[in-house]
Amino acid sequence: GESVGLHLPTLSVQEGDNSIINCAYSNSASDYFIWYKQESGKGPQFIIDIRSNMDKRQGQRVTVLLNKTVKHLSLQIAATQPGDSAVYFCAEKRNNAGNMLTFGGGTRLMVKP
Amino acid sequence: DTAVSQTPKYLVTQMGNDKSIKCEQNLGHDTMYWYKQDSKKFLKIMFSYNNKELIINETVPNRFSPKSPDKAHLNLHINSLELGDSAVYFCASSLIAGGGEQFFGPGTRLTVL
């Protein structure tokens, strides 16, 4: 399934399926992007990052894809597990804004057993 | 061995009161941050300190005053609390200013009545 990370939409997937969470960013000067996972009652936790000179980066069960042409970022989770249920945020580092992180609106991922 | 800790975890108070939230990190990081997360999960940076010096202040009302006694601590004091201050406040730290991987604390849920 797919979802756009604005206004906390919810993506519901079956356990074992692949998940795709999308994020649109606005600043073409952003050169670094990160995905965070936030479980209920906890702080955001780093998942994976990617620099603007790359199109794809893979981690353990996760892949981040970056399309600079359309300013789009996606997080793919393979073989989604119940423990993946959380809110996922993309964040961008804008070099023209003091190198601070700007977070997107988040997407809630719900994994059905 | 908590990396970033915050106290208290929950804070319920009346409008007009003054309150403080404390944050400590034992990661040896140079940079610490305060974020505010609203009821829609939108996460916005408030302040960033690097080696005890303020480097980011994102147009936060001056009722909010961060204090960094040393680079391992960044406390947040809020004067004259308002209903709109109700949110979850997260402290975070990173090795360097603007460093992508920020480590977040567990959050402090502030409720203003």
Side-chain angles (χ1 to χ4, degrees):
Chain A
E2 299 186 14
S3 182
V4 176
L6 296 173
H7 306 298
L8 204 62
T10 298
L11 172 64
S12 186
V13 300
Q14 204 69 39
E15 182 179 357
D17 286 352
N18 296 334
S19 303
I20 300 175
I21 301 172
N22 296 305
C23 181
Y25 64 95
S26 57
N27 195 322
S28 56
S30 295
D31 64 351
Y32 181 64
F33 304 87
I34 308 161
W35 280 99
Y36 279 87
K37 173 187 180 183
Q38 186 179 17
E39 295 176 274
S40 181
K42 297 183 179 179
Q45 181 182 12
F46 175 92
I47 302 173
I48 192 168
D49 58 0
I50 189 168
R51 297 205 173 273
S52 59
N53 61 353
M54 301 171 68
D55 297 324
K56 179 179 179 178
R57 190 161 189 226
Q58 286 185 290
Q60 187 179 9
R61 283 200 307 118
V62 295
T63 301
V64 55
L65 298 177
L66 175 62
N67 185 331
K68 295 180 288 293
T69 303
V70 295
K71 298 193 190 70
H72 184 268
L73 192 68
S74 69
L75 177 71
Q76 300 178 1
I77 304 173
T80 313
Q81 301 169 0
D84 295 327
S85 294
V87 176
Y88 289 80
F89 295 93
C90 63
E92 59 183 303
K93 184 165 77 71
R94 301 177 176 182
N95 276 333
N96 61 356
N99 284 334
M100 70 179 188
L101 284 181
T102 300
F103 282 78
T107 298
R108 185 182 301 280
L109 176 65
M110 295 177 63
V111 182
K112 296 177 287 187
Chain B
D1 60 346
T2 305
V4 182
S5 59
Q6 297 177 226
T7 54
K9 187 163 176 65
Y10 299 96
L11 186 52
V12 181
T13 188
Q14 298 286 334
M15 258 193 332
N17 284 350
D18 304 337
K19 289 294 178 185
S20 292
I21 307 172
K22 295 187 177 181
C23 178
E24 176 181 1
Q25 54 96 2
N26 63 6
L27 298 166
H29 288 169
D30 285 343
T31 308
M32 296 184 72
Y33 312 81
W34 277 109
Y35 286 86
K36 179 180 179 180
Q37 186 172 51
D38 63 23
S39 58
K40 296 180 180 177
K41 295 290 189 183
F42 186 68
L43 197 63
K44 184 171 171 57
I45 190 164
M46 300 172 68
F47 300 102
S48 174
Y49 267 70
N50 186 56
N51 270 322
K52 302 192 296 176
E53 290 190 19
L54 179 67
I55 56 172
I56 293 174
N57 178 345
E58 279 296 294
T59 58
V60 177
N62 57 16
R63 296 183 297 104
F64 291 78
S65 51
K67 293 282 194 306
S68 183
D70 55 62
K71 74 173 192 176
H73 295 84
L74 181 62
N75 303 323
L76 184 65
H77 188 76
I78 315 170
N79 289 326
S80 304
L81 279 155
E82 301 177 357
L83 293 177
D85 297 332
S86 295
V88 181
Y89 292 84
F90 287 100
C91 176
S93 72
S94 65
L95 189 58
I96 57 174
E101 185 167 0
Q102 295 181 13
F103 292 78
F104 283 78
T108 296
R109 181 175 292 278
L110 171 65
T111 303
V112 183
L113 303 175

